[in-house]
């Protein structure tokens, strides 16, 4: 059951990233770019979770997973700060 939840999270995050980046390509609204890039990172985080729990259960990939989530959120934070003045 957990595998289904992991896969659903990865698919949902990937779908959000695709929708946000597609909307950015049409409108060129930069906040959509930052949100899309954040969701790309969150998608990679979810994929790493699947690899961590299902493919390599004896190897701890939590440092890589958490680092990816941190980078994704820092991208969004940087985008909010950079575009906040505009």
């Amino acid at each position: 059951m957990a595998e289904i939840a992991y896969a659903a999270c990865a698919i949902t995050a990937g779908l959000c990233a695709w929708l946000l980046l597609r909307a950015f390509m049409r409108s060129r609204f930069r906040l959509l770019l930052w949100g899309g890039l954040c969701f790309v990172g969150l998608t990679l985080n979810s994929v790493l979770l699947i690899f961590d729990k299902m493919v390599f259960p004896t190897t701890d990939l939590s440092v890589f997973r958490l680092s990816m989530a941190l980078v994704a959120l820092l991208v969004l934070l940087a985008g909010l700060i950079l575009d906040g003045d505009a």
Side-chain angles (χ1 to χ4, degrees):
M1 190 65 179
E3 295 85 5
I4 295 172
Y6 299 152
C9 289
I11 291 169
T12 303
L15 184 63
C16 288
W18 177 68
L19 289 172
L20 286 167
L21 292 175
R22 188 180 72 167
F24 168 73
M25 295 301 287
R26 290 183 181 170
S27 69
R28 297 293 180 187
F29 186 60
R30 290 175 46 107
L31 189 57
L32 294 171
L33 173 66
W34 298 117
L37 292 176
C38 176
F39 271 98
V40 168
L42 294 176
T43 302
L44 294 175
N45 179 37
S46 295
V47 170
L48 281 175
L49 176 64
I50 292 171
F51 279 110
D52 189 15
K53 298 297 182 184
M54 295 170 28
V55 178
F56 306 112
T58 58
T59 305
D60 185 19
L61 298 176
S62 62
V63 173
F64 298 111
R65 285 189 293 119
L66 294 176
S67 298
M68 181 56 66
L70 178 64
V71 168
L73 293 177
L74 286 176
V75 166
L76 180 62
L77 181 63
L80 290 173
I81 291 171
L82 291 174
D83 286 343
D85 293 336

